[in-house]
Amino acid sequence: MVLVLYVVVGQLLALTPVPWMSWTLNASFLQSLWLAIGILRDNLGIYNVLIALVSVALILRTVRPWRWRPSGLSRRRTVAAGFAAFGVAASLVTAIVISIGVANGGAGFAFFTPPGPGGDLGAKADRRVVVGSPDGTPIHADLYEPTSPGPHPVVVFAHGGGFVAGAPGPTPYNRYLADHGYAVLDVDYRLASDTVHNWNTQVGDVGCALTWVTRNSAAAGLDPDRVVTFGESSGGNLAINAAYLTAAKTLKPTCGTPEELPRIVATVGGYPAVDLTAAYDDSALGKVTGRQFIGGPPEIYPDRYRFVDAANNLTAQSPPTLIVQGGADHLVLAAPVKRFADKVKAAGVPARYIELPALDHGMGDSASTGTAGTITLRHALLDWLGRYAR
């Protein structure tokens, strides 16, 4: 029954429009449960169909071959078998919908993803560096280096974690981009907490890493005139804001000087938390983020939210912006992200928004390089970087 419940709930979460479930997102337990199921489902991908088939087989295991019909089952098994059969059908529909979304995103046919149920995020960084020490706190970053001669275009990556957790480490993109000729600087930043609300310095810590690129470009074989910021979830907020504030000449790095900020030629957000005002209103976990990162609700701190909401930092000079978003995201909802992307386009900034239906927060890229979300974002990244950073 556990398998049946997982399959049925997981597929309902994938196929039910998120706005229809808005009332459940204001309960932190339910929102956390939906996210856990969605993240597991997206990482398993096509193997959800196999799990659904196994659940049917387990329910029917006591039925003799000549009695494979509802009348040969107890009422409880009949109901369970019906749910399991729904799970099989729904998981197939989900796999098809996702595959179509991947194809529409330009990444080709991706029905049988991932090829294996395990995870592999690639090799570790070539070296760890200290990009600065604002207020005496060392900020580290992992550097992934291409094997070809430099100077290389640079991708400055900001990890996710709700502004309160996370650290640099292997992702499906860091080594992959280095293998395609891009140096990757996976940066850390000082985290928020219930008592530390560093809404005004986290983006500056990313700026600190950006100034390190300029200061160390010659020695590290980096090109400070071809820098891209990239982040996922909360890191997407920081990456996009760092790019926009740099273009507007208003970013205050927490180490180095504004004059040392490099030229940012593009920015990329994976399911980016670009609208924290909407997030506070939309969900229980959005309220937790607002309390920890910003210090409270928008009505008390309107200026703080105005600073961290990326649309408020958008100008006509903002760099080209790529966003890849899960359509069934129960944490960073797709609707406000799509509204932000529309504002970017309306400002005359080159932008591309890819929404992958039926995928939740993370789009399955937290444990594997072969999921549908990872395949799509990898393809879109290389295309975007090829346009603006080569």
Side-chain angles (χ1 to χ4, degrees), residues 109-150:
F109 182 73
F111 185 79
F112 296 102
T113 56
D120 176 17
L121 298 182
K124 295 181 179 180
D126 294 294
R127 55 193 176 106
R128 172 158 282 201
V129 301
V130 175
V131 298
S133 298
D135 298 329
T137 302
I139 297 181
H140 298 87
D142 289 343
L143 183 62
Y144 296 76
E145 299 173 304
T147 57
S148 59

Side-chain angles (χ1 to χ4, degrees), residues 183-277:
V184 178
L185 189 68
D186 185 354
V187 306
D188 208 359
Y189 46 87
R190 290 169 292 175
L191 300 173
S193 68
D194 287 329
T195 57
V196 177
H197 315 302
N198 53 2
W199 56 274
N200 57 339
T201 59
Q202 281 197 7
V203 70
D205 286 350
V206 176
C208 173
L210 289 169
T211 66
W212 182 92
V213 171
T214 300
R215 291 193 303 274
N216 293 271
S217 57
L222 309 176
D223 187 346
D225 290 322
R226 292 184 295 164
V227 177
V228 176
T229 60
F230 170 33
E232 296 183 300
S233 193
S234 58
N237 173 294
L238 299 175
I240 292 172
N241 274 329
Y244 286 7
L245 291 169
T246 297
K249 301 187 184 305
T250 55
L251 180 61
K252 298 178 181 178
T254 55
C255 73
T257 66
E259 291 72 27
E260 292 176 312
L261 290 169
R263 178 172 174 258
I264 299 178
V265 296
T267 186
V268 180
Y271 39 96
V274 288
D275 192 339
L276 296 183
T277 301

Side-chain angles (χ1 to χ4, degrees), residues 57-68:
L58 290 174
I59 291 170
L60 301 177
R61 70 188 185 280
T62 60
V63 181
R64 292 189 294 273
W66 58 87
R67 297 185 64 191
W68 280 64

Side-chain angles (χ1 to χ4, degrees), residues 73-374:
L73 302 175
S74 68
R75 180 174 297 178
R76 182 172 63 86
R77 287 188 181 277
T78 299
V79 172
F83 277 112
F86 166 81
V88 173
S91 61
L92 283 169
V93 170
T94 299
I96 292 169
V97 167
I98 292 173
S99 184
I100 293 172
V102 174
N104 288 339
F109 182 73
F111 185 79
F112 296 102
T113 56
D120 176 17
L121 298 182
K124 295 181 179 180
D126 294 294
R127 55 193 176 106
R128 172 158 282 201
V129 301
V130 175
V131 298
S133 298
D135 298 329
T137 302
I139 297 181
H140 298 87
D142 289 343
L143 183 62
Y144 296 76
E145 299 173 304
T147 57
S148 59
H152 303 288
V154 187
V155 176
V156 175
F157 178 79
H159 64 79
F163 305 99
V164 299
T171 75
Y173 313 105
N174 290 349
R175 179 57 60 187
Y176 177 78
L177 290 173
D179 289 342
H180 284 80
Y182 299 92
V184 178
L185 189 68
D186 185 354
V187 306
D188 208 359
Y189 46 87
R190 290 169 292 175
L191 300 173
S193 68
D194 287 329
T195 57
V196 177
H197 315 302
N198 53 2
W199 56 274
N200 57 339
T201 59
Q202 281 197 7
V203 70
D205 286 350
V206 176
C208 173
L210 289 169
T211 66
W212 182 92
V213 171
T214 300
R215 291 193 303 274
N216 293 271
S217 57
L222 309 176
D223 187 346
D225 290 322
R226 292 184 295 164
V227 177
V228 176
T229 60
F230 170 33
E232 296 183 300
S233 193
S234 58
N237 173 294
L238 299 175
I240 292 172
N241 274 329
Y244 286 7
L245 291 169
T246 297
K249 301 187 184 305
T250 55
L251 180 61
K252 298 178 181 178
T254 55
C255 73
T257 66
E259 291 72 27
E260 292 176 312
L261 290 169
R263 178 172 174 258
I264 299 178
V265 296
T267 186
V268 180
Y271 39 96
V274 288
D275 192 339
L276 296 183
T277 301
Y280 193 95
D281 295 332
D282 287 340
S283 74
L285 296 181
K287 291 177 176 60
V288 172
T289 297
R291 185 181 70 247
Q292 293 177 323
F293 179 48
I294 298 172
E299 56 266 26
I300 295 179
Y301 299 109
D303 292 340
R304 297 183 181 185
Y305 281 87
R306 193 174 299 114
F307 178 77
V308 300
D309 286 350
N312 298 319
N313 300 316
L314 173 67
T315 67
Q317 290 72 44
S318 296
T321 304
L322 167 68
I323 295 174
V324 181
Q325 171 72 31
D329 196 325
H330 291 85
L331 181 60
V332 177
L333 276 59
V337 179
K338 176 64 165 57
R339 288 196 298 269
F340 167 73
D342 290 341
K343 292 178 181 179
V344 177
K345 295 175 183 177
V349 175
R352 186 184 183 195
Y353 175 78
I354 301 173
E355 184 172 310
L356 293 173
L359 291 183
D360 212 313
H361 195 66
M363 306 183 305
D365 70 1
S366 60
S368 173
T369 59
T371 61
T374 300

